[in-house]
Amino acid sequence: MRWDVIIIGAGAAGLMCAAQAGYRGRRVLVLDNAKQPGRKILISGGGRCNFTNRLAGPHAYLCANPHFTKSALARYRAQDFIELMERHGVEYEERDHGQLFCTDSAKEIVRVLQTECDWAGVTLQLRTEILSVAQGAVDEERFVLHTSRGELTCQSLVVATGGLSLPKLGATPFGYRLAEQFGLPVRPTRAGLVPFTLHTQDKDDFAELSGISLPVILTAEDGQQFSEALLFTHRGISGPAVLQISSYWQAGQAVRINWLPGQDVSALLADWQQQHGAAELKTCLGRLLPKRLVEKLLERSGVANKPMRQYGHGELAALVQLLTDWRLLPNGTEGYRTAEVTLGGVDTDALSSKTMEAKAVPGLYFIGEVMDVTGWLGGFNFQWCWSSGWVAGQFV
Ligand code: FDA
């Protein structure tokens, strides 16, 4: 059967693109091997989908070409998606750092996207395996797809198959293989927005802190910083600060932890010496940090607990370092099993930033997470799906 546009992947990016192309009068088919569209949307944001971020902009994306996201993010902004939600009566709430979540359920987002696709006359075909893709002979049939449900042809082929995170939800490397088949470079992939695992000694030491969450500043070796919460788990460390920094971390590198963000720790220690000289360090620190953490930090660094007035200059300097610049060497990450995103992917140098079309293969488009564009935690990844899907939808 012949189509103008075939989109592989009925996720966030694929559904957005499909509706836009449909509204332009294109005959659009969306294929997916799953039995339900938008499964990652449904489980995202703890079931409430953090669907965008008011502060979305190129600064919040990792991409080998830092300029690539500018055009699409400017043409389809967070505000455009918010207005789409409002037109469909979706209630939402704003949390810290500009993050917008559904008040009710992530199902609302899938409902909106499906409604838009219905209105635009898009056909959705689920439970379909794509067995092969070949280049066709004529312009109207540039691509020939052999699927588990027959042969299909199309003029524009959009790859929206996402990344490798959450394999149990059916993530596949299909998009990367297809890019390679057509001669497009794919940048190495790895798990992003993912908890760290710890080396045995650290894991044993910190096991009893499991469940403690506190605000910190985490710094990666390249200087990237995030000021959010860190959570000790029975496997390692997690929480927003850790997920964020994991996208900037390479195996073998350390991360630095400031346990007292927003405090002038040198001044604080000096104040305790003068005002509370008889009070022990643990007691003073215990007013600002969880007591179990204080004990563990002092034990690990060999700093003696004694009355504040007994600390000398050298010891105070060591304490400042311990509290504001503590080095931790993660063992690794929990990998794609729990990662929210995949770093790397189809190299954006091979794509047009205006249309998402492959420069060397007319009619072939890549959108969403399959590309080498990864957002911070906080709704930025969905915004990339909306923006890249929307712009491609104007050209396919
Ligand atoms: P997506 O993965 O959504 O869709 C790809 C589609 O392609 C799927 O339907 C899949 O079945 C289909 N497919 C794959 N291979 C195929 C093949 N070989 N043949 C046919 N079909 C195939 N982001 C955010 O901004 N806010 C949030 O709150 C969250 N929360 C969140 C929680 C969790 C647990 C995870 C794992 C991820 C998030 N994310 C997130 C990230 C976000 O979910 C992700 O970036 C987008 O879903 C990516 O959308 P895509 O449309 O690119 O791919």
Side-chain angles (χ1 to χ4, degrees):
M1 201 171 164
R2 203 187 209 183
W3 295 87
D4 293 334
V5 182
I6 292 182
I7 297 171
I8 308 177
L15 294 173
M16 172 56 96
C17 181
Q20 295 312 309
Y23 283 134
R24 286 177 43 239
R26 302 286 276 163
R27 287 186 62 241
V28 182
L29 173 68
V30 181
L31 297 176
D32 203 299
N33 58 4
K35 52 178 193 276
Q36 198 185 9
R39 282 177 308 169
K40 270 203 188 151
I41 300 174
L42 294 173
I43 58 149
S44 67
R48 293 237 162 84
C49 186
N50 178 192
F51 58 81
T52 190
N53 192 299
R54 283 200 194 278
L55 310 176
H59 69 280
Y61 294 90
L62 293 93
C63 176
N65 173 358
H67 305 291
F68 183 84
T69 58
K70 286 181 181 166
S71 171
L73 290 173
R75 278 186 298 148
Y76 193 81
R77 303 156 307 152
Q79 187 55 32
D80 295 313
F81 193 76
I82 294 168
E83 285 167 15
L84 177 68
M85 294 300 106
E86 288 174 353
R87 285 200 296 281
H88 284 265
V90 176
E91 289 188 16
Y92 59 88
E93 62 196 33
E94 183 162 347
R95 301 193 193 161
D96 293 349
H97 311 292
Q99 306 174 85
L100 299 187
F101 285 78
C102 295
T103 309
D104 185 16
S105 157
K107 287 181 193 157
E108 293 278 274
I109 305 289
V110 179
R111 171 183 68 79
V112 169
L113 293 170
Q114 281 197 277
T115 305
E116 289 282 324
C117 284
D118 286 348
W119 289 349
V122 170
T123 303
L124 178 60
Q125 188 177 299
L126 300 168
R127 301 173 197 261
T128 305
E129 297 295 336
I130 291 97
L131 307 173
S132 69
V133 178
Q135 227 152 358
V138 291
D139 192 47
E140 299 76 49
E141 296 180 310
R142 282 180 183 148
F143 302 96
V144 181
L145 281 70
H146 290 277
T147 78
S148 54
R149 296 170 70 175
E151 188 179 289
L152 304 163
T153 67
C154 60
Q155 191 179 38
S156 297
L157 179 64
V158 183
V159 183
T161 44
L164 297 171
S165 54
L166 287 211
K168 68 172 190 230
L169 272 195
T172 74
F174 179 91
Y176 310 129
R177 299 294 93 83
L178 194 76
E180 285 165 352
Q181 181 194 326
F182 282 90
L184 273 60
V186 176
R187 298 190 72 87
T189 53
R190 64 191 166 89
L193 298 183
V194 62
F196 283 136
T197 55
L198 300 177
H199 290 284
T200 313
Q201 180 66 53
D202 291 333
K203 193 174 155 208
D204 293 348
D205 272 5
F206 293 134
E208 64 203 65
L209 304 183
S210 175
I212 289 180
S213 170
L214 74 164
V216 298
I217 296 174
L218 280 189
T219 309
E221 278 198 6
D222 66 0
Q224 182 69 40
Q225 287 195 333
F226 289 97
S227 180
E228 292 195 57
L230 177 148
L231 170 71
F232 288 95
T233 71
H234 58 281
R235 283 191 294 267
I237 53 171
S238 186
V242 172
L243 300 188
Q244 298 278 35
I245 215 73
S246 72
S247 295
Y248 290 84
W249 178 82
Q250 305 282 350
Q253 294 182 341
V255 292
R256 300 202 324 267
I257 308 177
N258 179 344
W259 299 105
L260 290 169
Q263 302 268 10
D264 180 342
V265 176
S266 302
L268 198 66
L269 293 174
D271 181 63
W272 288 343
Q273 282 206 304
Q274 281 161 19
Q275 308 294 329
H276 311 280
E280 289 188 342
L281 174 66
K282 262 188 204 175
T283 312
C284 294
L285 280 176
R287 293 193 203 111
L288 299 172
L289 291 169
K291 289 195 172 52
R292 277 184 290 159
L293 174 64
V294 171
E295 274 173 17
K296 196 49 76 181
L297 290 179
L298 297 185
E299 178 191 314
R300 295 246 330 194
S301 52
V303 172
N305 178 46
K306 50 190 180 182
M308 284 308 302
R309 69 164 70 93
Q310 293 180 15
Y311 287 95
H313 285 306
E315 287 174 305
L316 288 178
L319 264 175
V320 172
Q321 170 115 19
L322 165 70
L323 294 168
T324 62
D325 197 18
W326 201 73
R327 274 182 99 253
L328 178 70
L329 192 63
N331 183 25
T333 72
E334 289 187 5
Y336 293 120
R337 190 178 59 80
T338 58
E340 285 203 10
V341 285
T342 302
L343 292 148
V346 179
D347 195 330
T348 57
D349 280 351
L351 306 173
S352 154
S353 61
K354 189 173 166 220
T355 65
M356 307 296 141
E357 186 177 22
K359 290 173 184 166
V361 189
L364 182 63
Y365 296 75
F366 290 84
I367 55 173
E369 198 183 317
V370 72
M371 315 165 64
D372 171 36
V373 175
T374 308
W376 288 353
L377 187 76
F380 298 101
N381 284 294
F382 279 132
Q383 185 56 44
W384 178 246
C385 293
W386 316 137
S387 296
S388 60
W390 188 91
V391 298
Q394 314 306 312
F395 294 95
V396 290

